[in-house]
Structures are given as C-alpha cells and as structure tokens.
Amino acid sequence: MLRGFTNTLNSSQLQAGETQLRVENIQLNFGGVAALMDINLAVRQSEILAIIGPNGAGKTSLLNCISGLYRPQRGRILFYNDKEHEVTRLKPHQIARLGIARSFQNIELFRHMSVLDNLLAGAHIHMRSNLFSSLIYWGTAQREHIRFRRFVEDIIDLLEIESIRNNTVGSLSYGLQKRVEMGRALAMQPSILLLDEPMAGMNSEEKEDMARFILDINEEHGVTIVLIEHDMGVVMDISDRIVVLNFGQKIGEGTPDEVRNNPLVVKAYLGEEKSPFKFGQSNNNNHGKE
Amino acid sequence: MISGIFHSSYEKDMALRRTHAQKIRLVILFLFLLAFPFIFRENRYYLTLANQVGIAIIGAIGLNILVGYTGQISLGQGGFMAVGAYTAGILTARLGMPWWASTIAACFATALVGVLFGIPSLRLKGLYLAIATLSAQVIILWIVTNWGAVTGGVEALVVPNPTLFGVRLNSDFNFYWVTWLLVLLVTIATVNLFRTHYGRAFIAIRDQDIAASVMGVDLFKYKLLAFAISSFLVGLAGALTAHYRSIVTWERFTVDVSVLYLAMIIIGGLGSVTGSFLGATFMTLLPALLTNLGRAARGTFPAIDSLLPFIQQGTFGLVIILFLIFEPEGLNKIWRNIKDYFRLWPFSY
Ligand SMILES: Nc1ncnc2c1ncn2[C@@H]1O[C@H](COP(=O)(O)OP(=O)(O)OP(=O)(O)O)[C@@H](O)[C@H]1O
Ligand SMILES: [Mg+2]
C-alpha cells in the first residue's frame, strides 16, 4: 500500500547498525529481591531486539530502568544520538526528550481523552508554543496544532484506526487500546521504541496485524525496536536478535537460531510443558497459541 | 478504505452539525447576557445575583482547571480567594492603586501563592494533597486575621469605589459589564488552553501521571503551572469581590468557601468549562431560591420561621448528596443528555 508520509516517524541521526543504547552492569534490587543482576546489553540502530524470559524474569524492570521509572543501584545506561547521554542520571521526561518512547504491559492510556488527543499528547515533546500564544490560540499555537493534527493523521493511517479517531480510548477494545498506545509512542517520533508485550491478550488475527505494524515501523522508518513478548512464534519471526533473561540474569543472546539452540535457554524453559522452540524456523502457525 | 472515507466524512458531518447547534446556543446565551442588565435594570437583586454568578464562574473555572482537569484536589480555594481579595483591597486602599492595576497584581500574587502551596503536590496525592491544601487555607486565613497592620485583621478592610473615566463602576449595573466581560475572556482562554499541549499535559497528568512523564511531560513543571493558572483565576474572582463590595472581610473566605466551590465543580461537572458555568450558577442561585421560598412560606406557615435556616441548609445538603448518587458526572451530563435528546428529536423513540 502506498502511503504519503509527510513526516518521518524516526528522529534518530545514527546509521543503521551503530550502537544506540548500551546497558552496563545494571543491578536492581527490591528490598532483598534482585530483579536484575549485572545485566549488559547493547541495542543497535534500526534492529528489532526481543527480550524474552519467563514471568518475573525482570523484563519489565529492565524497560523501567531505561525509561527512568526505576533507578538501578549499580551500573549505567547510555544512549547515543548526537552524543553520549547517561540515561541513569535523568528523569523520565528528560529521557523521553532524547527520543526514547515506550508502551506499557498494562495499558496506560489517557482514558478520558479521544484517540486523537492521546496521539497528540504523544507528540508533547515537539510542541513549543508558549503559554500566552496557547491562551489566545493564535500564531504559533494554532499553526503547531494544525501541523501536528496532520502528523498524527499519518499514524492513524499506518495503524488503520481511522474509524475510531474521535472515540474516547476508555471505550475501546483491548486490542485497539494496545494499538493506540503504540501510536501514542510513535507520535513522539522516537529514536527507539520500547514495547512491553504489545500483543498480550490478543487473538491471532490481531497479533498478526500488530506484528505487521511493528515491521512497518521498523522497515519503512528505521525505528529501532526493543520488544518484550511471550509469543515465541512472533518473536522468532520478526526479531533480528534476542536477549533471554531468567531470574534477573541474562542467560542468552543472539540471533533467533542461536538462542533456540542455546542449552541454557532451553533448560530455563524446560519447566514449561512444551519447549517453546519446537516449531521450525519459518513456521509461524504458532501465532494462535494461548 | 472506502468505508473508512465514508466513516470519516460522516463523522465530520456530525461534528459540523454539532458545532452549528453549538453556535446557535452560544449566540442565544450571548444575546441573553447582553439583554439581561437592561431587562432587570430596576431590579437590583437580580443584578446582584448575576454578578455573584459571574464571579463564581471565574472561581469555579479556576478550581476546575486544577481539580477537574489536572486531578490535583484542593481545599485551599477560600484561602486563595482571600489572597486575591486582600491583595487587590490593600493595594487600592493603602497604596491608592487603580482598581484594574490592583486586580492584575492580585492575580499574579495569588498565582505565586498557589505555586508555593502547590509544591507538595509533587509528592502528595488524593487525600494527602487535600490536607496539604487545607493547610494553605488555614495558614492564609491565620495571616490575614493576625497581620492587622496591613490586612485590618478581623476588622473589615474598606476599599475605595472603583471608577473608570470618572464613572463609578461598582453599581450593580456597571459592574455587570466588568464581571461578564472577564467571564468571557476567561472562558475563551480556558477553552484555548485545552486545545493545546498545555491542557493535554494537565489531563494526561490526571489520567495517568506515569505515562505522562514517559511521554515527556515534566510533572513538576506542569503541576505547578496548573496551580499557577488555577490560582490566577481564583485570585481574579477574589479581587472582583473586593472591588464589587468595597469591603473585604475574612469571614467570606473560610473553609466553607473551599467546600462550596468543590461542590460547584462536582455538581457542575469535573473537567468541563460548561460544567463550571452550570455548577457555579446552580450553587449561587439555589440558596437564593431557598431563601425566597422560605420567605413566601413564612406568610402561609408562620410556625416554619424558626426552622427555616435548618430546612434551607438541609435542602442544600440533600441536593448535593442526591447529585452525587444519581448523576456523579454532574449537571453537564444532564445538559448533554438534553442536547442529545433534541438533536435526535424527531427520531428519538
Ligand atoms: N515495583 C516493584 N516492587 C517490588 N518488586 C518488584 C517491582 N517491580 C518488579 N518487581 C519484582 O521484580 C521481579 C521482576 O519483575 P518484572 O515485572 O520485571 O518481570 P517480567 O519479566 O516483566 O515478568 P512478566 O513476564 O510477568 O511481565 C519480580 O520478582 C517482581 O516481583
Ligand atoms: Mg513484564
């Protein structure tokens, strides 16, 4: 399908393959519980990196450290655009301004706003009109509003949510809310997009749509994607690399093939009744499981 | 795709019809407000009520920006109004500032005080924030009543009459224009605010503050900004009462006022400008109506006389409780239902 994008969704200035995000020796404790132990990993520009692991492995905690919601006791997280930024020193809104966007495992939309307003709220960091201009809605405020109103229309197109743009998000189905939440993160024109279980609780058709959107965003716009997902079919299918966490430790990393054949990873999943990797490499008829 | 286009144009069509009806309603309201003081020129009572309603609307919009839109509960309304009223009164009475200059100064002073007492909002939510803002109320009134040299203490502060080109402004008829012109400006500015990223950031903080911060909203900055804008308007309402009545007394700014304004926006509709209008009007007119009904009843049932205050208070409380039970979304919801009914009117079965 042809889409006339008037705006890029990607604000990164790096070349594909350059290191964009580096997690160094992160240690995160909750009281006596270690949620993350000495985690190291790097995310490269324009790749899809999946983070997998059993429940409670520390996947969400890792994203929360990156977006500044949790503060690790040790280690640091570095983000590169024009220069190196130490994310671990910054507040969530400052991290967002660097172009790090995310969605949440449990949908955290602005419930009483329309879909449109949620998307516009996602573009908050790009809005510059001053308070006075806003109060009289004249000059920069009005121009800016019209420009971003057009911009979010691109996202509405991309995510195929034309028919619900004026609905209040609280009234939408779970699957659509997940989609809108990803749209809100995209409206930030992110350099890197962190998605926490974007397909959880969806039926196979919705999952396929979502996988297609993620691939679109990655391939057409070059947005780097860090994806937490439990559905191994999807993960093996769409990710370039995979990081495996278990009880707060990184137990494996590599291409889908390498991870599938990593004995430590297979062992970590042995508790489950079936091996999650039993299907063939290009076989994705597993989408419908759950 | 075709269905998509169809759908969007259908929605545009609905939106257009909605704005048409809206425009007609606004024009009617505007004409009514223009005609009102001429129709009731000889009836000072109605004009006084209209001025009280206008001032209450400004105060209610101010409080609604903070509580309804940003989700930061405040029990400091009375105190903030006192800051506005006393700043305006003192600057005009003691320093001879013109009424309009002292009014502007009062707005900024109240915004500043609002920001100061808004600082705990970064750490406190819900009931804890309510207590923190209640302490603003208590501290401000304590200063007002104990700093007699400046505020007049428990005595009334007398403010010279406001004039414009030699015309006394605080007659009921003249002040009507001051009040309602400001209501108009405040309404337009507030509606505009919520079309832009400032207003969206406020609502985002109310709905989901963690997500807001991850979307790049500086919670500290925007919460304080909400306190500033809100208090600015509340201070304006306070300054207007000072110039309108030519007298400022601390009894008009007790915690009762804070509760009354909260009731206004809850009954009117949280997070809605229309709701602020409806709530302020309703809560200002209801006590007046009850008083009048009481007077009328006194003629027929003389025995009711001693019970009257209780009946009035009781009815007032009952109305609020009934609202909370049956229409928690307030008058604004009822108003929307009425509009929907008439929009679908020929086909409403
Ligand atoms: N705010 C918190 N307070 C205390 N413990 C926490 C907190 N957040 C996470 N944990 C603990 O940290 C560990 C990792 O949790 P996390 O949510 O990161 O796991 P996860 O890999 O995302 O799991 P799931 O697949 O179920 O989402 C768990 O033991 C969890 O109980
Ligand atoms: Mg999780």
Side-chain angles (χ1 to χ4, degrees), chain A residues 92-93 96 102 108 110-113 117 120 124 127 129-131 134-137 145 165-166 184 188, chain B residues 8 11 189 192-193 195-198 200-201 203-204 206-208 210-218 222:
Chain A
H93 72 268
R102 73 172 285 182
E108 311 279 11
F110 307 128
R111 291 183 53 79
H112 299 93
M113 287 189 201
D117 278 335
L120 284 169
H124 178 85
M127 312 250 180
S129 62
N130 65 33
L131 183 60
S134 293
L135 291 174
I136 57 175
Y137 195 65
H145 183 88
R165 55 158 88 73
N166 290 315
R184 183 182 65 180
M188 195 192 264
Chain B
S8 76
E11 267 168 3
N192 286 341
L193 183 71
R195 293 162 87 172
T196 65
H197 67 285
Y198 291 99
R200 271 192 302 272
I203 301 176
R206 176 196 70 192
D207 276 5
Q208 186 57 62
I210 290 177
S213 72
V214 170
M215 301 318 303
V217 175
D218 182 346
Y222 279 90

Side-chain angles (χ1 to χ4, degrees), chain A residues 269-287:
Chain A
Y269 276 93
L270 271 185
E272 303 195 353
E273 47 188 280
K274 307 184 261 192
S275 162
F277 310 118
K278 71 179 174 66
F279 44 86
Q281 183 176 354
S282 59
N283 174 1
N284 65 350
N285 56 15
N286 225 26
H287 282 191

Side-chain angles (χ1 to χ4, degrees), chain A residues 30 33 35 53-62 70 105 196-197 230:
Chain A
F30 292 106
V33 184
N55 292 109
K59 306 179 294 294
T60 300
S61 300
L62 181 58
Y70 290 168
Q105 183 168 354
D196 197 346
E197 304 197 15
H230 281 293

Side-chain angles (χ1 to χ4, degrees), chain B residues 34-99:
Chain B
L34 274 183
F36 186 89
F38 295 106
I39 299 170
F40 296 104
R41 184 148 203 171
E42 302 311 316
N43 193 330
R44 278 198 50 204
Y45 180 61
Y46 283 169
L47 282 176
T48 307
L49 279 181
N51 289 339
Q52 284 174 353
V53 167
I55 293 171
I57 287 173
I58 294 173
I61 290 178
L63 186 65
N64 221 338
I65 288 175
L66 186 62
V67 179
Y69 283 105
T70 318
Q72 308 299 303
I73 191 155
S74 167
L75 274 170
Q77 179 86 355
F80 295 142
M81 282 185 93
V83 174
Y86 274 96
T87 308
I90 290 165
L91 289 178
T92 297
R94 306 219 193 279
L95 301 180
M97 230 187 229
W99 66 275

